[in-house]
Amino acid sequence: MKTIRKILSIIKPYSVFVVFSLLFAAASVLFTLMIPVLAGDAIDLLVGANQVPFSLLGPKLLSIGGCAAGLALAQWLLGVVNNKLVFHTVHDLRFKAFANITVLPLSYLDANPSGKTMNRMIADADQLADGLLMGFSQLFTGVLTIVGTLVIMFMKSVSVAFVVVLVTPISLFAASFIAKRVYKYFTEQTKTRSEQTAVIDEMIGEKKTVTALGLEAEAIAVFDQSNEAYRKANLLATFYSSIINPTTRFVNNLVYAGVCLFGALAVLADGGFTIGALSAMLAYAIQYTKPFNEISGVVTELQNALACAENIFELIDQPAETINANAALSDVKGNVSLEHVSFSYDKNKPLIEDLNVQAGAGKRVAIVGPTGCGKTTIINLLMRFYDIDKGRICVDDIDVRDVTRQSLRRSYGMVLQETWLKAGTIRENIMFGKPEATEEEVVAAAKAAHAHSFIKRLSDGYDTKIGEDGGSLSQGQKQLLCIARVMLSLPPMLILDEATSSIDTRTEIKIQKAFAAMMEGRTSFVVAHRLSTIKNADIILVMKDGRIIESGTHEELLEKGGFYHHLYHSQFAKV
């Protein structure tokens, strides 16, 4: 019921479509119910050879034709209204889901495969649309048809109608019994489909790694396992859902046989129950039982739709990043401090404990240490991708939790080891952080990043379109574009996390010079594995196991002969 209430809340803005859907459904049912009555009256006029009153029969036939035309128009309008209602609803649902993704904390996205999230927004939303469309198209008309036919049948013959009412509960019980089990298996089907989508997305995204390591057989085995689970869930869901229709058809045949038997007896008894009336009753028996078949199919689809809707609402209901304040960070000078900071991704596995860092305005801070020591975690905390557990992080003596994340992140320019480019032109990708930039500014930024020369060699220069994640560009070229993007916006603080890892040594020397000019007067945090790139840092923080074990300039740390000394010389040891 909770999921149904949520769906109804999404549908509420389109209540006018619901009203028209009900009106057109009622109109189509009315025309449908009128045809058997008119047809029965016409049959009663056919009393024998050369005794047919054509003057009375003609208007009856015209009335039947008019009802048929009205029925066709009502059903067409019903389809138009229902399509608008359903696809507007699913459109809004997808929008809510995507909008929530943009404000979700990274911890949720890190913990859930992207393929699973994509499946919820695409496949599950499509399944929900199919279920709603069937519901609005057939459920309303089905219920109205059942009620309408029962009323008319009782008006025609109470005894015959009573037979129908007696048999109906069998169909309802059978459909209800099966539907409860169908929901369970459709939920399992939706879950395994999401898992399979996640496996496919992962394998496609990491195809190079899989191929390089010769893990094709293992990849196929993983997919086969998820594929087999999906197959079993599909079979069970399909098996139980397919039982509903034959069961209701069996009961419907019983209803039809009962109407035939008792109707014929009523005609033979000559109690005013005519052949035409019997004909109408048989037509109503068919109309009465047909919605049960349709509704059984609708119930099956709705069970699937509800299972899919639960997945979508689970995504929509995920709590967004906490909003601590509405104040914006402005006029940033760049004094950054981490005071007694503690943080861990897993609360049972401590990572950073009682970390203290002071970075004065315009200072270059390098962070080095072995893999897993917490270097990238510090970047995540500076950008508030994750919130700290204890302590505080300040910019210009202002706790970052007292300002909006947007204003904080706009104060940083960030180049990561993992590049990110969107589908579009080279120009659009460079201007991503500063949409109002002029052409001259874009070219100047590209030249500063040493990307201008390779851009000009592309087929359409800055107007060259690239695909998702850079398309056919090399990793180094993609990284140069990311560097150009930061050089265009030039915020007061910089974060460089292995920013030149994919660039050749010659270009790296030029980029380091460009970085030196860019970092002038800006507070900079540089994460590096190649220690030769951080010799000129104002302070080097050496981390190990989430703690700063050494700090100082390059020369001071070498003189200490400690961990940094051994780390530096291990990279330049003679073989």
Side-chain angles (χ1 to χ4, degrees):
M1 286 299 296
K2 186 178 179 181
T3 303
I4 294 174
R5 285 197 297 268
K6 288 180 179 179
I7 294 174
L8 291 176
S9 69
I10 300 291
I11 293 174
K12 189 176 181 180
Y14 307 105
S15 300
V16 64
F17 289 129
V18 177
V19 173
F20 277 109
S21 180
L22 286 169
L23 289 175
F24 291 132
S28 66
V29 170
L30 179 62
F31 287 125
T32 302
L33 296 177
M34 287 176 64
I35 291 175
V37 174
L38 295 170
D41 292 343
I43 290 171
D44 284 337
L45 293 174
L46 303 175
V47 294
N50 301 320
Q51 297 181 28
V52 179
F54 288 103
S55 60
L56 297 176
L57 184 62
K60 294 288 184 184
L61 295 177
L62 287 174
S63 298
I64 292 173
C67 286
L71 174 61
L73 178 62
Q75 287 181 336
W76 177 72
L77 291 173
L78 178 64
V80 171
V81 169
N82 286 339
N83 280 328
K84 285 183 175 293
L85 171 60
V86 168
F87 292 114
H88 273 89
T89 300
V90 174
H91 166 272
D92 290 354
L93 203 60
R94 277 201 176 111
F95 180 83
K96 284 178 177 289
F98 188 82
N100 198 46
I101 288 174
T102 63
V103 296
L104 283 177
L106 282 183
S107 56
Y108 174 82
L109 299 176
D110 288 343
N112 290 272
S114 58
K116 185 177 180 180
T117 305
M118 289 169 57
N119 183 77
R120 290 181 175 184
M121 289 196 60
I122 300 172
D124 286 345
D126 285 340
Q127 291 288 331
L128 176 60
D130 291 342
L132 289 178
L133 198 56
M134 282 192 70
F136 285 112
S137 299
Q138 298 179 15
L139 192 60
F140 288 167
T141 54
V143 172
L144 290 174
T145 300
I146 290 170
V147 174
T149 51
L150 270 179
V151 170
I152 295 176
M153 289 172 80
F154 270 106
M155 291 172 62
K156 289 285 184 180
S157 173
V158 175
S159 60
V160 175
F162 192 65
V163 173
V164 173
V165 173
L166 281 177
V167 179
T168 299
I170 302 174
S171 179
L172 295 175
F173 173 77
S176 174
F177 179 81
I178 299 170
K180 290 178 182 177
R181 282 144 186 83
V182 167
Y183 179 74
K184 171 187 175 183
Y185 292 115
F186 270 125
T187 303
E188 185 66 23
Q189 180 194 52
T190 303
K191 177 184 175 183
T192 53
R193 183 175 62 233
S194 296
E195 291 172 352
Q196 187 180 58
T197 306
V199 170
I200 294 170
D201 180 69
E202 181 182 34
M203 291 305 172
I204 292 175
E206 302 299 328
K207 178 67 169 62
K208 290 181 180 178
T209 304
V210 171
T211 303
L213 297 175
L215 297 175
E216 291 88 349
E218 286 79 358
I220 292 172
V222 171
F223 175 77
D224 185 55
Q225 186 178 4
S226 66
N227 199 31
E228 179 64 16
Y230 185 42
R231 181 191 67 82
K232 289 180 178 178
N234 255 329
L235 279 176
L236 287 169
T238 304
F239 172 75
Y240 279 98
S241 63
S242 64
I243 293 175
I244 297 179
N245 194 274
T247 304
T248 54
R249 283 186 181 276
F250 172 73
V251 178
N252 294 344
N253 288 332
L254 293 179
V255 171
Y256 191 80
V259 172
C260 284
L261 176 61
F262 284 89
L265 292 174
V267 172
L268 292 174
D270 194 22
F273 195 72
T274 64
I275 297 292
L278 176 59
S279 171
M281 289 293 279
L282 290 173
Y284 283 130
I286 294 173
Q287 288 182 359
Y288 174 80
T289 56
K290 184 181 178 183
F292 282 100
N293 294 329
E294 293 176 348
I295 290 172
S296 66
V298 171
V299 168
T300 300
E301 277 297 322
L302 285 178
Q303 297 291 333
N304 188 15
L306 287 175
C308 294
E310 282 189 0
N311 276 342
I312 301 171
F313 283 121
E314 184 184 340
L315 177 60
I316 292 174
D317 293 339
Q318 287 296 323
E321 285 184 316
T322 54
I323 299 174
N324 298 97
N326 294 319
L329 190 63
S330 59
D331 300 324
V332 177
K333 296 180 177 60
N335 292 296
V336 180
S337 63
L338 288 79
E339 303 170 7
H340 305 289
V341 168
S342 296
F343 172 79
S344 62
Y345 297 103
D346 184 346
K347 304 311 174 187
N348 296 320
K349 297 178 181 178
L351 177 58
I352 292 177
E353 293 182 320
D354 196 32
L355 180 66
N356 293 278
V357 176
Q358 295 290 331
K363 297 295 183 181
R364 303 178 193 179
V365 180
I367 307 171
V368 301
T371 301
C373 67
K375 300 187 298 295
T376 302
T377 299
I378 289 181
I379 303 305
N380 288 336
L381 299 179
L382 290 173
M383 296 289 288
R384 277 200 78 189
F385 291 149
Y386 288 84
D387 275 328
I388 59 178
D389 299 329
K390 293 180 181 179
R392 68 177 194 152
I393 298 176
C394 296
V395 175
D396 295 342
D397 296 323
I398 299 172
D399 193 319
V400 295
R401 289 170 294 192
D402 295 333
V403 296
T404 62
R405 285 184 172 86
Q406 187 178 29
S407 64
L408 172 67
R409 290 165 186 169
R410 282 183 175 175
S411 301
Y412 282 103
M414 187 165 64
V415 182
L416 303 178
Q417 184 176 2
E418 296 180 2
T419 59
W420 181 84
L421 298 172
K422 70 186 185 75
T425 64
I426 296 290
R427 180 183 290 101
E428 288 170 347
N429 273 282
I430 296 176
M431 295 174 63
F432 197 72
K434 189 179 180 182
E436 71 280 5
T438 64
E439 180 70 15
E440 291 75 17
E441 288 175 324
V442 172
V443 173
K447 287 180 177 178
H450 297 275
H452 180 73
S453 58
F454 92 78
I455 293 174
K456 296 302 289 183
R457 290 195 299 270
L458 297 174
S459 57
D460 296 314
Y462 285 85
D463 293 315
T464 301
K465 290 186 177 182
I466 57 177
E468 182 183 353
D469 198 29
S472 60
L473 295 180
S474 71
Q475 190 64 30
Q477 289 172 330
K478 288 189 282 187
Q479 202 158 35
L480 289 177
L481 291 180
C482 292
I483 294 170
R485 189 161 58 201
V486 172
M487 288 188 167
L488 177 63
S489 58
L490 285 181
M493 298 180 290
L494 298 171
I495 293 175
L496 308 177
D497 188 353
E498 286 296 318
T500 58
S501 61
S502 300
I503 298 173
D504 64 273
T505 305
R506 184 178 178 184
T507 305
E508 182 187 8
I509 294 172
K510 297 178 180 178
I511 291 294
Q512 291 295 345
K513 291 179 180 178
F515 275 158
M518 183 173 66
M519 288 188 287
E520 192 66 39
R522 291 180 173 81
T523 308
S524 306
F525 294 88
V526 183
V527 175
H529 289 109
R530 284 183 286 184
L531 303 185
S532 59
T533 63
I534 57 166
K535 288 181 178 179
N536 297 324
D538 294 305
I539 184 171
I540 298 173
L541 305 177
V542 185
M543 294 191 67
K544 187 178 181 183
D545 300 328
R547 294 178 178 274
I548 295 175
I549 58 172
E550 294 177 353
S551 64
T553 64
H554 175 70
E555 291 75 14
E556 289 171 349
L557 291 173
L558 287 180
E559 287 178 5
K560 287 182 180 179
F563 187 82
Y564 180 83
H565 176 273
H566 295 293
L567 197 63
Y568 180 80
H569 285 287
S570 67
Q571 292 189 7
F572 301 98
K574 295 182 180 180
V575 180

